Amino acid sequence: MSRVAVVGTGRWGRRLIRVLGDLGVLALVCNRGDVEGQAWVRTAYPGVRVSSAATDALDDPSIDCVVVATPIATHASLALAALAAGKHVFVEKPLAMSSGVAWRIVEAADQADRLLFVGHTFLYDAGFEQLHALLAHDPVLEASFAWMKYGTFDEPLIWNLLPHEVSLAMWLIGQPESIEITEHDAGPTELDRLRLRLGFEDPDQSSLIEIDRTSAGRTKTARIATRSGAVYVWRDGELLVERQGRNDRRLSSAAEEALAREMRAFLASVETGEPARSDGRFGARVVEVVERIGRMLPPIESARI
């Protein structure tokens, strides 16, 4: 069984710590002087070692895997350091903030013969997994992804939230060929509302993405229309099929959280050597698309709501 170290005890880092602790593989948690975070780990997981330096995870020969759950700007450097130390690496999305760096991390993983896994959590949701299987025989015609919430203003929208929607569009349809930004607006930061359309090699296929992190409500939805005329709706962990004139039929609901399924997939890939659906190459291609979208956005005057 793999021994795992987590670097980072922020909001998402604690979720990863909880899942890995429950799976019985958590051996070490590192952060950089977050006393409160260290105290939380010691209370919640008294058998887990706590450190103030990521190098303790890199230098420990008993650690097989390093999970990077730190601010986005630090993902690349920590992933490269962990691969150089011979560790398998799980890095939260995005893999990097430039495609050049992302592909450099992929190359480092290849050279080290280590697994590089990127945390695109929704790819491991049970409903999206079932939807992906259905679409193998009935391709997407039109897809829309919408995420309404309030908060997470501490990091740029295009790197914090957009990779989730881009990764889903890419996994369910393919690599986008064209991008059209149809709406963008400021809120507490320079960009808090974004609407765009992706086009694909097949001109009949398209995907709409809409993100609003200033919304009073909180919901995440996807609506997928296929070539056969079927319409599937994923809403907050539940997959439905629309039936004209009748009630929608539920196909799947979240019996196990996507994050737990994702970490099981990561550990299985480490053990078997089988590639993951969100491996480094997939993560780098997501970065390419997000980077392209970022370059298309004009300067936006900051506003306060």
Side-chain angles (χ1 to χ4, degrees):
M1 181 178 293
S2 297
R3 286 170 54 84
V4 180
V6 175
V7 182
T9 55
R11 179 182 60 86
W12 198 251
R14 294 190 190 196
R15 293 186 182 185
L16 288 162
I17 289 165
R18 171 180 54 78
V19 170
L20 291 164
D22 291 346
L23 291 173
V25 297
L26 184 64
L28 172 64
V29 173
C30 308
N31 64 31
R32 193 165 58 185
D34 178 3
V35 175
E36 190 275 331
Q38 292 178 2
W40 174 82
V41 175
R42 290 190 177 99
T43 299
Y45 300 96
V48 172
R49 187 159 62 95
V50 177
S51 165
S52 296
T55 52
D56 288 342
L58 308 185
D59 295 340
D60 187 339
S62 74
I63 296 296
D64 306 296
C65 310
V66 171
V67 171
V68 178
T70 55
I72 290 170
T74 65
H75 287 184
S77 60
L78 285 168
L80 286 168
L83 290 167
K87 312 299 184 183
H88 299 288
V89 175
F90 175 107
V91 57
E92 268 306 327
K93 60 78 201 159
L95 175 58
M97 295 179 73
S98 81
S99 57
V101 174
W103 285 111
R104 184 153 61 90
I105 300 170
V106 172
E107 182 180 359
D110 289 345
Q111 291 177 347
D113 193 24
R114 298 290 90 180
L115 174 70
L116 175 60
F117 189 112
V118 185
H120 288 290
T121 309
F122 288 106
L123 272 61
Y124 298 89
D125 172 89
F128 279 121
E129 193 172 81
Q130 184 174 356
L131 182 57
H132 183 269
L134 291 166
L135 297 177
H137 307 288
D138 188 12
V140 174
L141 192 62
E142 173 76 25
S144 63
F145 303 92
W147 198 351
M148 308 297 156
K149 62 179 293 185
Y150 188 87
T152 61
F153 299 116
D154 54 328
E155 293 188 294
L157 180 148
I158 67 164
W159 293 112
N160 188 6
L161 300 179
L162 184 58
H164 286 299
E165 312 309 297
V166 168
S167 68
L168 282 169
M170 289 174 58
W171 190 47
L172 297 178
I173 308 174
Q175 190 80 11
E177 297 284 330
S178 65
I179 300 168
E180 178 190 7
I181 296 174
T182 58
E183 184 179 341
H184 55 84
D185 201 1
T189 80
E190 292 185 345
L191 179 65
D192 294 304
R193 290 178 290 275
L194 178 64
R195 186 181 177 95
L196 59 89
R197 183 174 292 278
L198 303 177
F200 298 86
E201 183 178 6
D202 184 333
D204 292 332
Q205 292 183 307
S206 66
S207 176
L208 179 69
I209 293 175
E210 182 177 8
I211 302 173
D212 183 351
R213 61 178 177 183
T214 66
S215 173
R218 182 182 179 91
T219 185
K220 182 176 175 62
T221 59
R223 189 176 187 275
I224 311 293
T226 71
R227 293 192 182 278
S228 73
V231 177
Y232 301 99
V233 177
W234 183 96
R235 183 181 299 111
D236 297 328
E238 185 174 70
L239 180 64
L240 309 170
V241 58
E242 289 186 352
R243 300 189 295 180
Q244 190 171 9
R246 294 183 292 170
N247 292 333
D248 296 347
R249 179 164 63 91
R250 185 171 66 184
L251 298 180
S252 175
S253 58
E256 182 182 23
E257 67 174 320
L259 185 59
R261 292 169 57 87
E262 180 181 44
M263 295 313 301
R264 289 182 189 277
F266 168 62
L267 295 170
S269 289
V270 169
E271 294 298 325
T272 65
E274 292 296 316
R277 66 185 62 148
S278 60
D279 64 6
R281 284 172 170 76
F282 181 85
R285 290 195 295 271
V286 171
V287 171
E288 286 181 336
V289 175
V290 174
E291 182 180 55
R292 185 177 167 190
I293 293 168
R295 287 174 177 165
M296 294 175 66
L297 283 165
I300 302 170
E301 186 177 351
S302 183
R304 291 285 173 182
I305 60 173

